[in-house]
Amino acid sequence: MIGLTYVDLPDKSKWRIFPIHNETIGNELLSYTEKVFPLNLFLSTGRIIHLRKDIKQEETHVNDFSFGATYNSSEEETTVVLIIGETARYSNFGINGYTRPTTPHLSQRSHLISFDSVYSIANLTTVSVPFMLSRATPMHPEIYTHEKSIVDAFSEAGYYTAWLANQSFGNPFLMRISENCDYQHYIPTDVKNHDNLDIRLLDYAQNIMENDSKQKLIVLHSLGCHFKYNLRYPDSFRYYQPDLSSETPLKDILNPDDNPDIHLKELLEKTDLLEGMRELLVNSYDNAICYTDYFIDSTISMLDAQNKPAVLIYIGDHGENLLDDERHLFLHATYQGSVYEYHVPLFVWTSDEYRTLHPNVENNLQANKSKSITSMVLFHSLMEAGHISYPQWDASLSIFNPQLRSDSVLYGLDANLKLKQLPK
Ligand SMILES: [Zn+2]
């Protein structure tokens, strides 16, 4: 039986039977027309004014806050890159044991460590990303509204900070952070646009990596594997077919604009159609993972070419359902909150120069890679990676530290933002 929870996607009437709630593509991105001159002048002046007011309000809440963060290393240079992945589910990465070889690059990459028991605090972007970037916990979610973020902490410690994104334009929390960076760039294309490929972020990242600043933090907020999956990769990455770009009778079911009268619930209750639909979704999703593999590896290659002490961390913001079991869950932010939505990949890569200065780093990461942790570790881990100290730093929440704590029971938030024991 398919869940009938109401769906708050932009066109509600056509998506109503999907068992997800109100994480919406529309909420995460203003549309293309709203960002491109001169259309934005006509269409979104009011919305931009409203957004500016929201960002200012965010600023007011945290204006006087300080971590007391300082750079505590005698090393001349450190580059830290954080890639925030989108809709990345742990089990579909070849490097994590998936039956398909979806990570040909990362699987071959030296000095890359994949953590295997990391769970996101929440199963939707608008909650999980603020939790990753702040010291907020599921027990104390209010912290993210009156403390600054990890990016601000790096600024405080004297780092040059850059925020590069092809999503979440319009999210006041993230835009407040990015506006306080030394450099910010949002690629102004729509999530529904086939040209909004993550690799485009690297044009901007290269300039930052090569600038004269000695300490740099570069955040890449990618679009990863967000639905529709076939829009996340070019034709050359259509390894698994049929995918959502293929001409099949089922294609139109996921193109409601083309065929609004189809009742998906009735169709999916016929097992043969369900299997066909699952095949299209999984093939497309896996192709998007292949492209994510290429994007992460390209970022590492670019960073490696700088020949400087550098660390890169990639973490998924949450996972995804792909009609996996009898619940027929699809997408994310479901009320049920499956393990597919919470179990996320976390990769750490270190440069030769970084490991020379910190000979224990790889051993520490290896020893920690199977500890059971949540995305809450990101804040303290980045601080340690970037040699930043501050009075309340917590070694038990750093993946670079032998004291990293492993918890048999993990807590996060459900889609109603209530405290939840995470599925494992
Ligand atoms: Zn997300």
Side-chain angles (χ1 to χ4, degrees), residues 89-358:
R89 102 182 201 169
Y90 173 87
S91 56
N92 284 57
F93 284 74
I95 192 172
N96 293 334
Y98 189 42
T99 48
R100 287 176 162 177
T102 52
T103 55
H105 297 95
L106 294 181
S107 295
Q108 296 296 319
R109 175 64 74 174
S110 303
H111 308 297
L112 179 109
I113 293 171
S114 175
F115 280 64
D116 55 40
S117 300
V118 184
Y119 295 80
S120 179
I121 290 291
N123 60 352
L124 64 165
T125 311
T126 44
V127 182
S128 68
V129 176
F131 271 77
M132 276 186 216
L133 299 177
S134 72
R135 297 195 304 176
T137 70
M139 283 73 171
H140 294 286
E142 73 285 355
I143 288 174
Y144 95 85
T145 62
H146 56 247
E147 282 194 8
K148 287 183 177 173
S149 71
I150 183 69
V151 183
D152 299 291
F154 272 69
S155 293
E156 227 181 80
Y159 266 73
Y160 179 95
T161 54
W163 185 276
L164 310 173
N166 56 358
Q167 67 146 298
S168 291
F169 185 88
N171 178 316
F173 178 84
L174 298 180
M175 292 194 74
R176 199 284 302 160
I177 294 172
S178 62
E179 290 204 352
N180 284 318
C181 285
D182 295 293
Y183 181 85
Q184 61 142 309
H185 188 83
Y186 285 86
I187 295 177
T189 49
D190 198 298
V191 72
K192 294 176 186 168
N193 190 314
H194 199 269
D195 297 331
N196 194 1
L197 297 175
D198 286 338
I199 204 75
R200 292 180 59 195
L201 293 170
L202 296 192
D203 293 342
Y204 304 91
Q206 175 122 33
N207 292 334
I208 309 296
M209 286 181 195
E210 291 173 357
N211 81 17
D212 291 337
S213 312
K214 298 293 184 198
Q215 286 88 37
K216 298 168 197 159
L217 171 70
I218 303 170
V219 181
L220 302 168
H221 193 186
S222 66
L223 204 44
C225 306
H226 201 295
F227 193 75
K228 280 177 70 176
Y229 317 126
N230 57 318
L231 302 182
R232 304 284 83 85
Y233 54 86
D235 283 351
S236 55
F237 278 74
R238 292 181 65 198
Y239 299 121
Y240 302 107
Q241 295 192 34
D243 66 358
L244 290 167
S245 300
S246 303
E247 291 303 322
T248 73
L250 290 175
K251 181 184 168 193
D252 288 342
I253 296 174
L254 289 167
N255 284 316
D257 289 342
D258 303 331
N259 199 346
D261 295 323
I262 287 181
H263 297 286
L264 187 58
K265 177 177 177 290
E266 288 164 26
L267 286 171
L268 288 185
E269 280 176 345
K270 298 173 186 167
T271 308
D272 55 329
L273 288 173
L274 181 65
E275 286 307 316
M277 181 63 75
R278 186 184 286 133
E279 182 187 29
L280 282 187
L281 292 172
V282 172
N283 283 347
S284 306
Y285 185 80
D286 287 347
N287 289 336
I289 295 280
C290 290
Y291 193 74
T292 296
D293 167 69
Y294 163 70
F295 167 63
I296 299 170
D297 191 70
S298 300
T299 313
I300 292 173
S301 293
M302 189 177 276
L303 194 54
D304 198 19
Q306 307 300 315
N307 297 316
K308 289 175 182 170
V311 178
L312 178 142
I313 297 178
Y314 168 93
I315 185 169
D317 68 339
H318 53 76
E320 186 82 325
N321 296 294
L322 295 168
L323 305 175
D324 298 281
D325 52 37
E326 66 287 348
R327 293 174 293 178
H328 300 159
L329 297 175
F330 178 43
L331 305 177
H332 53 271
T334 67
Y335 290 117
Q336 293 92 329
S338 74
V339 68
Y340 306 112
E341 292 168 71
Y342 286 97
H343 193 190
V344 291
L346 168 64
F347 306 126
V348 184
W349 173 86
T350 48
S351 70
D352 293 342
E353 294 75 11
Y354 192 92
R355 288 192 312 284
T356 301
L357 293 166
H358 307 280

